Amino acid sequence: MSEIDVRLVDVVKRFGDSNAVDHITLDVNDGEFFSLLGPSGCGKTTTLRMIGGFEQPTSGLIELQGQDVTWLPSYKRNVNTVFQSYALFPHLTIEENVAFGLRRRGVKDAEVKSRVTDMLRLVELPGFEKRKPNQISGGQAQRVALARALINRPAVLLLDEPLGALDLKLRKQMQVELKRIQREVGITFIYVTHDQEEAMTMSDRIAVMNRGKYEQLGNPESLYERPQTRFVAGFLGVSNLLAGTVDGTADGYALVKLADDTRLRIPAALADGNTQIEVGIRPEKVRMNTPTDAIPAAANQLDGTVTDVSYVGVSTQYIVDSKSGIPMTIYEQNIERTTNGSLYRQGDAVRLSWMPEHTFVVGSAPTTAPGD
Amino acid sequence: MTAVSQPLNPTAAATTRRPPRRFLHALDHWFLPGFTVVAIGYLLVPIVVMIIFSFNDYQGKFNFVWHGFTLQGWFHPFDWPGLPDAIKTSLFIAFLSTIGSTILGTFIGLALTRYSFKGRGAINGLIFLPMATPEIVMGSSLLTLFVNSGLQGGMLNGIVPKGVLFPLGFTTILIAHIMFNISYVVVTVKARIAGFDRRLEEAAMDLGADELTTFWKVTFPLIFPGVLAAALLAFSLSIDDFIITSFVSGTTNTFPIWAYSIIKNALPVQINVVGSMVFLGAVLIVGLSNIRQARGNRA
Ligand SMILES: Nc1ncnc2c1ncn2[C@@H]1O[C@H](COP(=O)(O)OP(=O)(O)OP(=O)(O)O)[C@@H](O)[C@H]1O
Ligand SMILES: [Mg+2]
């Protein structure tokens, strides 16, 4: 069992008459790379600022390594922050910036010097000691901000969209680097981002936030394979959602009747006693077939017409209008069909198929949060 | 040049473009420089005259007519009854009022920019009032206030200990100067704080600096240029002030008061010499701070 580093208990932050953070309870484990993922304005920064001590919760409790820090000022918390804007001190050199935390704790000169040197080497900026923040690039500033926080060996490092200002290439590079550094120093990271791909590739666990709450918390795989709400299904990747009514069982599967009387099979456990549900299927898990192709008996089938084809390189994206009236998105790997030169074309009649095990179910109740 | 980028009819295009070009060229090369020279000349003539006449070997009591070059004035810059005392008083008051008004004004400026509280807008407006009020109004009102605190039966009599505000003198001049300087300091410092990123303070606290350390290590160094500019402004306003000082000075002389009192009977060369010194001192300080700033920007 890993220890819990950060614990939020029923935390609320109210600005005026709306809740920026709305009753959040969560535990972050020691050494974990934990991400807060969500659209702009959902309360990620506010949550992070409360953990960092820059903002006090309206109600609720915040614990760091078992200690209640809800009302502790930030300089008394064993937490450091990498700010979105880096917030490097413009009047100090890179060396002095990085040493700032150690100086506050009265660490001896010689030790400060050697630790700063080590840290600048870790973030691959040796020789930058004497420069000022306005003499380095955005990516370098980001790494200095990281070094300035990490050098204090905090229990928890908070990062607020630290890669937001970087171009795509540097961003990818820094993602790998951040992950490497996190493994090397073994510190708990709480990482804020609105980029689902970034969160997926880097995190051990992700809390997907929407309107001040998180809708689902789990590892990237479970979030992608088994999203529990419409919002999560749509925010992490692309989903096809088919609304229907649970209508009996067959071969150990639950049957879901769509608007056009098509029956889909889903694992019985997913129906979970509900009658009105939405069945979800990821675009890459759906196969395209001609209406005459043989399809395994257990598979779900849905007939439709191709309305749009776009070639995306590794795959081809099809939009198929299904008979039930719902447009479906399908990704097909470009392996055989391109070499055979027989891609489906707009207007082709197709039969879609997928295995019942690949479906997920989101609650049919519209997930509108209160206070909106 | 490629053919594609050339206009279809080069001559037509050129003739329509040329007049504004020529006009802008003339503006850039003749009008603006000429205008600048005239404007600067206008600004500098009085100063040049003052400096030239500080080397005048003047005859009689008034240093108005050029009689020849001498360094006598500069060898004996303070050689006139009452002048050394007046200069000492002026410097002392300027120094103390600069410190007082800079400290008070900086904190008011900080409070006004970073906290939102009831009446902030009103206070922001009130800060401008002393600058907008005619000096003669402020002078006479301060005089009334001071006298009322000192005179038997005065409105404020007994509230302030005897001898502080009355009789008039050094203390009352100092109080008056701090008061009118505060507004200028607040406005100058606020301009600098407006560009200050609060997240830098959060970053400092995040790294273990308490409120006081954060102020000295981050806030103050970053607003220091504004504070310094405010202090220099306060100093020069104080050294320079005549109207308000004349109301509240009693029998104490500052340099401007002394100069004005003596000018009815004589205009000694020392006035030009001291004036030139003040001017050169100001130029020196401005020059140094410019060099410092240029260094700071480069390093
Ligand atoms: N100081 C404040 N005063 C009033 N409202 C605020 C304040 N800070 C944040 N909010 C509001 O709280 C909500 C959450 O803000 P927050 O900054 O946490 O969002 P975020 O998830 O970090 O968004 P982004 O991805 O755009 O950074 C927003 O609606 C925002 O307008
Ligand atoms: Mg944010």
Side-chain angles (χ1 to χ4, degrees):
Chain A
M1 281 275 17
S2 48
E3 267 175 54
I4 289 163
D5 245 1
V6 181
R7 162 170 280 166
L8 305 191
V9 184
D10 201 30
V11 170
V12 175
K13 181 64 187 185
R14 194 169 247 299
F15 287 119
D17 51 9
S18 71
N19 285 348
V21 171
D22 195 10
H23 300 281
I24 284 193
T25 297
L26 63 84
D27 292 341
V28 179
N29 299 325
D30 187 23
E32 188 172 27
F33 197 119
F34 188 94
S35 288
L36 294 171
L37 172 68
S40 183
C42 70
K44 308 180 294 290
T45 296
T46 308
T47 307
L48 207 67
R49 287 173 58 79
M50 287 191 287
I51 301 172
F54 312 116
E55 209 95 66
Q56 265 71 47
T58 309
S59 68
L61 183 76
I62 298 174
E63 278 181 11
L64 288 174
Q65 301 184 306
Q67 186 201 1
D68 178 359
V69 297
T70 315
W71 296 99
L72 221 53
S74 53
Y75 52 85
K76 289 190 179 153
R77 301 186 185 196
N78 192 11
V79 169
N80 285 118
T81 308
V82 177
F83 293 83
Q84 176 161 20
S85 54
Y86 314 139
L88 298 180
F89 306 123
H91 60 300
L92 301 179
T93 61
I94 301 308
E95 184 178 31
E96 291 165 331
N97 262 283
V98 175
F100 195 91
L102 297 183
R103 296 260 183 239
R104 301 288 77 73
R105 282 189 277 145
V107 176
K108 286 209 191 64
D109 261 3
E111 192 190 338
V112 170
K113 231 179 151 49
S114 79
R115 276 172 72 175
V116 168
T117 310
D118 286 351
M119 197 41 80
L120 286 180
R121 196 173 307 135
L122 181 73
V123 297
E124 292 172 356
L125 286 175
F128 278 67
E129 281 87 348
K130 296 293 175 232
R131 297 221 200 162
K132 285 273 182 78
N134 62 2
Q135 297 170 316
I136 60 178
S137 75
Q140 291 163 344
Q142 195 273 325
R143 281 180 277 170
V144 173
L146 187 64
R148 184 179 69 174
L150 277 177
I151 198 168
N152 307 295
R153 298 174 188 155
V156 181
L157 189 69
L158 309 175
L159 304 100
D160 191 358
E161 304 199 28
L163 309 183
L166 307 183
D167 64 55
L168 191 65
K169 186 156 173 277
L170 193 54
R171 209 180 155 99
K172 296 269 178 225
Q173 200 180 318
M174 286 304 303
Q175 286 175 6
V176 175
E177 219 163 310
L178 265 181
K179 192 71 192 152
R180 168 183 66 87
I181 290 169
Q182 196 255 345
R183 263 194 308 267
E184 263 170 47
V185 296
I187 290 175
T188 308
F189 274 35
I190 301 185
Y191 192 93
V192 160
T193 181
H194 60 245
D195 180 338
Q196 52 107 0
E197 204 184 318
E198 187 169 291
M200 297 266 276
T201 49
M202 300 176 80
S203 320
D204 296 319
R205 286 195 304 157
I206 303 172
V208 184
M209 287 186 68
N210 187 25
R211 293 179 179 146
K213 298 177 187 297
Y214 63 88
E215 298 216 341
Q216 196 175 345
L217 193 160
N219 60 36
E221 194 182 326
S222 72
L223 288 174
Y224 187 79
E225 300 295 337
R226 293 261 181 273
Q228 283 160 4
T229 69
R230 213 168 212 289
F231 174 79
V232 175
F235 199 77
L236 282 165
V238 177
S239 297
N240 296 300
L241 294 177
L242 303 154
T245 327
V246 178
D247 185 27
T249 57
D251 308 335
Y253 294 113
L255 293 177
V256 178
K257 194 174 76 171
L258 303 184
D260 68 338
D261 282 348
T262 308
R263 281 186 167 72
L264 300 179
R265 298 167 164 212
I266 61 169
L270 289 183
D272 198 25
N274 293 314
T275 50
Q276 293 294 325
I277 60 173
E278 280 187 284
V279 176
I281 181 74
R282 296 289 187 185
E284 73 279 8
K285 295 188 168 118
V286 181
R287 279 191 66 92
M288 303 271 288
N289 311 275
T290 62
T292 53
D293 283 348
I295 288 167
N300 285 316
Q301 300 182 18
L302 204 57
D303 288 336
T305 315
V306 176
T307 58
D308 189 69
V309 183
S310 14
Y311 181 78
V312 205
V314 289
S315 63
T316 303
Q317 178 190 307
Y318 296 99
I319 309 288
V320 173
D321 259 350
S322 69
K323 276 213 182 110
S324 62
I326 300 157
M328 304 270 291
T329 305
I330 294 108
Y331 299 152
E332 202 178 46
Q333 287 279 313
N334 288 332
I335 310 171
E336 285 141 43
R337 289 194 186 279
T338 37
T339 48
N340 298 342
S342 61
L343 290 163
Y344 292 102
R345 266 181 277 274
Q346 200 173 332
D348 285 356
V350 291
R351 178 165 292 165
L352 307 177
S353 68
W354 67 90
M355 299 310 290
E357 288 72 23
H358 289 159
T359 49
F360 57 87
V361 166
V362 299
S364 171
T367 54
T368 40
D372 197 70
Chain B
M1 269 286 153
T2 62
V4 183
S5 69
Q6 270 171 4
L8 286 174
N9 183 345
T11 32
T15 42
T16 47
R17 221 185 293 139
R18 201 169 282 153
R21 272 263 177 92
R22 197 181 269 170
F23 173 72
L24 280 179
H25 187 268
L27 192 70
D28 278 357
H29 288 258
W30 298 107
F31 183 70
L32 288 180
F35 189 80
T36 309
V37 166
V38 170
I40 288 182
Y42 186 20
L43 286 173
L44 287 184
V45 162
I47 294 166
V48 171
V49 169
M50 172 185 71
I51 295 175
I52 290 174
F53 274 78
S54 74
F55 296 104
N56 189 13
D57 184 14
Y58 77 110
Q59 313 288 318
K61 284 184 169 176
F62 291 92
N63 182 15
F64 282 150
V65 184
W66 184 257
H67 283 281
F69 181 87
T70 177
L71 285 173
Q72 279 311 307
W74 285 87
F75 284 140
H76 309 283
F78 307 124
D79 191 10
W80 203 270
L83 178 56
D85 279 343
I87 290 177
K88 255 185 257 165
T89 309
S90 261
L91 286 177
F92 216 40
I93 284 179
F95 183 71
L96 291 177
S97 73
T98 298
I99 290 180
S101 61
T102 304
I103 291 174
L104 285 171
T106 299
F107 284 114
I108 295 174
L110 279 169
L112 284 177
T113 31
R114 59 186 39 187
Y115 304 114
S116 55
F117 49 88
K118 252 199 191 137
R120 182 169 78 163
I123 292 176
N124 263 322
L126 283 178
I127 288 295
F128 279 96
L129 268 189
M131 290 196 264
T133 312
E135 282 200 56
I136 198 143
V137 176
M138 295 244 289
S140 65
S141 121
L142 280 172
L143 178 63
T144 311
L145 185 75
F146 292 150
V147 167
N148 260 295
S149 79
L151 277 190
Q152 203 61 251
M155 210 165 56
L156 302 171
N157 195 13
I159 293 177
V160 183
K162 270 226 148 50
V164 176
L165 300 183
F166 196 85
L168 301 170
F170 188 88
T171 318
T172 49
I173 302 176
L174 182 61
I175 290 172
H177 282 208
I178 290 179
M179 190 217 68
F180 71 68
N181 270 338
I182 285 178
S183 302
Y184 291 94
V185 173
V186 170
V187 170
T188 313
V189 169
K190 256 176 65 183
R192 179 78 193 185
I193 301 174
F196 183 86
D197 185 357
R198 287 298 299 276
R199 273 166 300 193
L200 294 175
E201 288 174 344
E202 288 181 350
M205 294 213 194
D206 184 64
L207 294 166
D210 58 21
E211 287 85 355
L212 206 62
T213 316
T214 299
F215 180 79
W216 285 117
K217 291 284 175 193
V218 175
T219 316
F220 188 71
L222 286 171
I223 65 170
F224 179 71
V227 174
L228 184 68
L232 291 176
L233 182 65
F235 192 88
S236 72
L237 285 172
S238 171
I239 279 274
D240 199 40
D241 185 73
F242 176 77
I243 300 177
I244 293 177
T245 312
S246 71
F247 276 94
V248 300
S249 60
T251 55
T252 306
N253 274 342
T254 61
F255 178 69
I257 300 283
W258 173 85
Y260 183 73
S261 73
I262 199 145
I263 219 161
K264 290 162 212 154
N265 304 314
L267 183 64
V269 72
Q270 277 76 10
I271 289 184
N272 295 57
V273 173
V274 173
S276 303
M277 284 176 170
V278 170
F279 171 73
L280 294 175
V283 168
L284 193 73
I285 290 171
V286 171
L288 283 179
S289 75
N290 277 349
I291 290 172
R292 223 189 94 102
Q293 218 161 21
R295 280 237 184 89
N297 287 345
R298 231 181 312 125

